[in-house]
Amino acid sequence: MILYWILFLPIVFGHLYFCFIENELYRKASKLLIVPALMLILLMYQMKFSFTNYFVYVGLLFGFLGDLFLIITNKKIFFIFGTISFLLGHIAYAFSAYTSYQGKIFFSWYM
């Protein structure tokens, strides 16, 4: 948990600060550091690697790529690639949730 306080929180609060002072260069750089830092923390604190966790990492990777495509330039093709990356990331998160809770949830509202 100490890595969370040392690595992740300063990046997030630094990013918020750069957004507040409207420093575009540092805002973009700190934005690209958030997801890899989160992936590193998840890798370090994860007890075992499972199929469900695989989809979480794939979702984070696509989220990082989406951020990268949107930060690179304002050309339309990069916007499309970024949007597709975010879409694929959310699909991976949905698969992660589905495989994690498959057969464990009773939907009382369904009955």
Side-chain angles (χ1 to χ4, degrees), residues 58-59 61-90:
V58 169
L61 178 65
F62 278 120
F64 173 75
L65 290 174
D67 286 337
L68 185 64
F69 286 133
L70 291 180
I71 285 175
I72 288 175
T73 185
N74 57 1
K75 291 190 179 194
K76 187 175 182 178
I77 190 71
F78 288 112
F79 176 78
I80 293 170
F81 286 154
T83 304
I84 291 171
S85 295
F86 285 129
L87 172 68
L88 293 174
H90 283 82

Short mmCIF file of all heavy atoms in Angstrom, two decimals, residues 58-59 61-90:
data_model
loop_
_atom_site.label_atom_id
_atom_site.label_comp_id
_atom_site.label_asym_id
_atom_site.label_seq_id
_atom_site.Cartn_x
_atom_site.Cartn_y
_atom_site.Cartn_z
N VAL A 58 -5.77 -5.68 -19.99
CA VAL A 58 -6.06 -5.34 -21.39
C VAL A 58 -6.86 -4.04 -21.45
O VAL A 58 -6.59 -3.16 -22.27
CB VAL A 58 -6.80 -6.49 -22.10
CG1 VAL A 58 -7.35 -6.06 -23.44
CG2 VAL A 58 -5.88 -7.68 -22.26
N GLY A 59 -7.84 -3.89 -20.55
CA GLY A 59 -8.62 -2.66 -20.50
C GLY A 59 -7.77 -1.45 -20.16
O GLY A 59 -7.92 -0.38 -20.76
N LEU A 61 -4.55 -1.19 -20.71
CA LEU A 61 -3.67 -0.94 -21.85
C LEU A 61 -4.40 -0.17 -22.95
O LEU A 61 -3.86 0.80 -23.50
CB LEU A 61 -3.13 -2.27 -22.41
CG LEU A 61 -2.23 -2.14 -23.64
CD1 LEU A 61 -0.95 -1.39 -23.28
CD2 LEU A 61 -1.91 -3.51 -24.19
N PHE A 62 -5.64 -0.56 -23.24
CA PHE A 62 -6.41 0.17 -24.25
C PHE A 62 -6.74 1.58 -23.78
O PHE A 62 -6.79 2.51 -24.59
CB PHE A 62 -7.69 -0.59 -24.63
CG PHE A 62 -7.47 -1.68 -25.63
CD1 PHE A 62 -7.78 -2.99 -25.33
CD2 PHE A 62 -6.95 -1.39 -26.88
CE1 PHE A 62 -7.58 -4.00 -26.25
CE2 PHE A 62 -6.75 -2.38 -27.82
CZ PHE A 62 -7.06 -3.70 -27.50
N GLY A 63 -6.96 1.77 -22.48
CA GLY A 63 -7.18 3.11 -21.95
C GLY A 63 -5.95 3.99 -22.12
O GLY A 63 -6.05 5.17 -22.48
N PHE A 64 -4.78 3.40 -21.88
CA PHE A 64 -3.53 4.14 -22.10
C PHE A 64 -3.36 4.51 -23.57
O PHE A 64 -3.00 5.64 -23.89
CB PHE A 64 -2.34 3.30 -21.62
CG PHE A 64 -1.01 3.91 -21.95
CD1 PHE A 64 -0.53 5.00 -21.24
CD2 PHE A 64 -0.25 3.40 -22.99
CE1 PHE A 64 0.69 5.57 -21.56
CE2 PHE A 64 0.97 3.96 -23.32
CZ PHE A 64 1.44 5.05 -22.59
N LEU A 65 -3.64 3.56 -24.44
CA LEU A 65 -3.53 3.84 -25.88
C LEU A 65 -4.52 4.92 -26.31
O LEU A 65 -4.20 5.77 -27.14
CB LEU A 65 -3.74 2.57 -26.69
CG LEU A 65 -2.63 1.53 -26.61
CD1 LEU A 65 -3.03 0.26 -27.35
CD2 LEU A 65 -1.33 2.08 -27.14
N GLY A 66 -5.73 4.88 -25.75
CA GLY A 66 -6.71 5.91 -26.06
C GLY A 66 -6.23 7.29 -25.64
O GLY A 66 -6.36 8.26 -26.39
N ASP A 67 -5.66 7.38 -24.44
CA ASP A 67 -5.09 8.65 -23.99
C ASP A 67 -3.96 9.10 -24.91
O ASP A 67 -3.87 10.27 -25.28
CB ASP A 67 -4.54 8.53 -22.56
CG ASP A 67 -5.63 8.47 -21.53
OD1 ASP A 67 -6.75 8.95 -21.80
OD2 ASP A 67 -5.37 7.96 -20.42
N LEU A 68 -3.11 8.16 -25.27
CA LEU A 68 -1.98 8.49 -26.14
C LEU A 68 -2.45 9.01 -27.49
O LEU A 68 -1.95 10.03 -27.98
CB LEU A 68 -1.09 7.26 -26.31
CG LEU A 68 0.20 7.44 -27.09
CD1 LEU A 68 1.13 8.39 -26.36
CD2 LEU A 68 0.87 6.10 -27.31
N PHE A 69 -3.41 8.33 -28.09
CA PHE A 69 -3.92 8.78 -29.40
C PHE A 69 -4.56 10.16 -29.32
O PHE A 69 -4.42 10.96 -30.23
CB PHE A 69 -4.91 7.77 -29.97
CG PHE A 69 -4.29 6.52 -30.50
CD1 PHE A 69 -4.81 5.28 -30.17
CD2 PHE A 69 -3.19 6.57 -31.33
CE1 PHE A 69 -4.24 4.12 -30.66
CE2 PHE A 69 -2.60 5.42 -31.83
CZ PHE A 69 -3.13 4.19 -31.49
N LEU A 70 -5.26 10.42 -28.24
CA LEU A 70 -5.93 11.73 -28.13
C LEU A 70 -4.94 12.85 -27.80
O LEU A 70 -5.20 14.01 -28.12
CB LEU A 70 -7.03 11.67 -27.07
CG LEU A 70 -8.22 10.80 -27.44
CD1 LEU A 70 -9.25 10.81 -26.32
CD2 LEU A 70 -8.86 11.25 -28.73
N ILE A 71 -3.82 12.51 -27.18
CA ILE A 71 -2.84 13.54 -26.82
C ILE A 71 -1.89 13.83 -27.98
O ILE A 71 -1.41 14.96 -28.10
CB ILE A 71 -2.07 13.09 -25.56
CG1 ILE A 71 -2.97 13.25 -24.34
CG2 ILE A 71 -0.80 13.89 -25.37
CD1 ILE A 71 -2.38 12.73 -23.06
N ILE A 72 -1.65 12.86 -28.84
CA ILE A 72 -0.66 13.03 -29.92
C ILE A 72 -0.93 14.28 -30.74
O ILE A 72 -0.09 15.14 -30.88
CB ILE A 72 -0.63 11.79 -30.84
CG1 ILE A 72 0.02 10.62 -30.12
CG2 ILE A 72 0.13 12.07 -32.12
CD1 ILE A 72 -0.01 9.33 -30.91
N THR A 73 -2.09 14.38 -31.28
CA THR A 73 -2.42 15.51 -32.15
C THR A 73 -3.94 15.62 -32.24
O THR A 73 -4.65 14.78 -31.73
CB THR A 73 -1.80 15.32 -33.55
OG1 THR A 73 -2.05 16.49 -34.32
CG2 THR A 73 -2.36 14.12 -34.26
N ASN A 74 -4.39 16.61 -32.91
CA ASN A 74 -5.84 16.79 -33.04
C ASN A 74 -6.36 16.35 -34.41
O ASN A 74 -7.40 16.81 -34.85
CB ASN A 74 -6.22 18.25 -32.76
CG ASN A 74 -5.49 19.21 -33.67
OD1 ASN A 74 -4.72 18.79 -34.52
ND2 ASN A 74 -5.72 20.49 -33.48
N LYS A 75 -5.64 15.47 -35.08
CA LYS A 75 -6.12 14.96 -36.37
C LYS A 75 -7.26 13.96 -36.13
O LYS A 75 -7.30 13.26 -35.13
CB LYS A 75 -4.99 14.27 -37.12
CG LYS A 75 -3.94 15.25 -37.59
CD LYS A 75 -2.98 14.59 -38.52
CE LYS A 75 -1.97 15.65 -38.95
NZ LYS A 75 -1.19 15.26 -40.08
N LYS A 76 -8.17 13.91 -37.08
CA LYS A 76 -9.37 13.11 -36.95
C LYS A 76 -9.06 11.61 -36.81
O LYS A 76 -9.72 10.91 -36.05
CB LYS A 76 -10.28 13.35 -38.14
CG LYS A 76 -11.62 12.70 -38.03
CD LYS A 76 -12.51 13.07 -39.20
CE LYS A 76 -13.87 12.43 -39.04
NZ LYS A 76 -14.76 12.81 -40.13
N ILE A 77 -8.05 11.12 -37.51
CA ILE A 77 -7.74 9.69 -37.47
C ILE A 77 -7.29 9.27 -36.07
O ILE A 77 -7.63 8.19 -35.59
CB ILE A 77 -6.70 9.31 -38.55
CG1 ILE A 77 -6.57 7.79 -38.65
CG2 ILE A 77 -5.36 9.95 -38.29
CD1 ILE A 77 -7.75 7.11 -39.27
N PHE A 78 -6.53 10.13 -35.38
CA PHE A 78 -6.10 9.79 -34.02
C PHE A 78 -7.28 9.84 -33.04
O PHE A 78 -7.32 9.08 -32.08
CB PHE A 78 -4.98 10.71 -33.56
CG PHE A 78 -3.68 10.43 -34.24
CD1 PHE A 78 -3.14 11.34 -35.12
CD2 PHE A 78 -3.00 9.24 -34.02
CE1 PHE A 78 -1.94 11.08 -35.76
CE2 PHE A 78 -1.81 8.96 -34.65
CZ PHE A 78 -1.28 9.88 -35.53
N PHE A 79 -8.24 10.72 -33.30
CA PHE A 79 -9.45 10.75 -32.48
C PHE A 79 -10.23 9.45 -32.65
O PHE A 79 -10.73 8.88 -31.67
CB PHE A 79 -10.32 11.95 -32.86
CG PHE A 79 -11.62 11.99 -32.11
CD1 PHE A 79 -11.66 12.43 -30.81
CD2 PHE A 79 -12.79 11.58 -32.72
CE1 PHE A 79 -12.85 12.46 -30.11
CE2 PHE A 79 -13.99 11.60 -32.04
CZ PHE A 79 -14.02 12.05 -30.72
N ILE A 80 -10.32 8.96 -33.87
CA ILE A 80 -11.02 7.70 -34.13
C ILE A 80 -10.29 6.54 -33.46
O ILE A 80 -10.92 5.69 -32.81
CB ILE A 80 -11.17 7.47 -35.65
CG1 ILE A 80 -12.12 8.52 -36.23
CG2 ILE A 80 -11.67 6.06 -35.95
CD1 ILE A 80 -12.16 8.54 -37.73
N PHE A 81 -8.95 6.49 -33.58
CA PHE A 81 -8.18 5.43 -32.92
C PHE A 81 -8.35 5.50 -31.40
O PHE A 81 -8.45 4.47 -30.73
CB PHE A 81 -6.70 5.52 -33.29
CG PHE A 81 -6.37 5.07 -34.68
CD1 PHE A 81 -5.27 5.57 -35.33
CD2 PHE A 81 -7.16 4.15 -35.35
CE1 PHE A 81 -4.94 5.16 -36.61
CE2 PHE A 81 -6.86 3.73 -36.63
CZ PHE A 81 -5.74 4.24 -37.26
N GLY A 82 -8.34 6.71 -30.86
CA GLY A 82 -8.52 6.87 -29.42
C GLY A 82 -9.89 6.40 -28.97
O GLY A 82 -10.02 5.71 -27.94
N THR A 83 -10.91 6.73 -29.72
CA THR A 83 -12.27 6.32 -29.38
C THR A 83 -12.40 4.80 -29.46
O THR A 83 -13.00 4.18 -28.57
CB THR A 83 -13.28 6.99 -30.33
OG1 THR A 83 -13.11 8.40 -30.26
CG2 THR A 83 -14.70 6.63 -29.96
N ILE A 84 -11.83 4.20 -30.48
CA ILE A 84 -11.88 2.74 -30.61
C ILE A 84 -11.11 2.09 -29.47
O ILE A 84 -11.54 1.07 -28.91
CB ILE A 84 -11.35 2.30 -31.99
CG1 ILE A 84 -12.32 2.73 -33.08
CG2 ILE A 84 -11.11 0.80 -32.04
CD1 ILE A 84 -11.81 2.56 -34.49
N SER A 85 -9.98 2.66 -29.08
CA SER A 85 -9.21 2.12 -27.97
C SER A 85 -10.01 2.15 -26.67
O SER A 85 -10.01 1.18 -25.91
CB SER A 85 -7.90 2.89 -27.79
OG SER A 85 -7.06 2.72 -28.89
N PHE A 86 -10.67 3.27 -26.41
CA PHE A 86 -11.50 3.35 -25.20
C PHE A 86 -12.66 2.36 -25.25
O PHE A 86 -13.00 1.75 -24.24
CB PHE A 86 -12.02 4.77 -24.99
CG PHE A 86 -10.98 5.72 -24.50
CD1 PHE A 86 -10.79 6.93 -25.15
CD2 PHE A 86 -10.21 5.45 -23.39
CE1 PHE A 86 -9.83 7.83 -24.70
CE2 PHE A 86 -9.25 6.33 -22.94
CZ PHE A 86 -9.06 7.52 -23.59
N LEU A 87 -13.25 2.18 -26.43
CA LEU A 87 -14.33 1.21 -26.58
C LEU A 87 -13.84 -0.20 -26.27
O LEU A 87 -14.48 -0.95 -25.52
CB LEU A 87 -14.91 1.27 -28.00
CG LEU A 87 -15.93 0.18 -28.34
CD1 LEU A 87 -17.20 0.36 -27.54
CD2 LEU A 87 -16.21 0.18 -29.83
N LEU A 88 -12.70 -0.58 -26.84
CA LEU A 88 -12.15 -1.92 -26.59
C LEU A 88 -11.78 -2.09 -25.13
O LEU A 88 -11.94 -3.18 -24.56
CB LEU A 88 -10.94 -2.15 -27.49
CG LEU A 88 -11.24 -2.26 -28.99
CD1 LEU A 88 -9.95 -2.35 -29.79
CD2 LEU A 88 -12.14 -3.44 -29.26
N GLY A 89 -11.29 -1.03 -24.50
CA GLY A 89 -10.98 -1.09 -23.08
C GLY A 89 -12.22 -1.34 -22.24
O GLY A 89 -12.20 -2.16 -21.31
N HIS A 90 -13.31 -0.67 -22.57
CA HIS A 90 -14.54 -0.88 -21.81
C HIS A 90 -15.13 -2.26 -22.06
O HIS A 90 -15.72 -2.87 -21.16
CB HIS A 90 -15.56 0.22 -22.14
CG HIS A 90 -15.24 1.51 -21.45
ND1 HIS A 90 -14.32 2.40 -21.94
CD2 HIS A 90 -15.69 2.02 -20.29
CE1 HIS A 90 -14.24 3.42 -21.12
NE2 HIS A 90 -15.06 3.22 -20.10
#
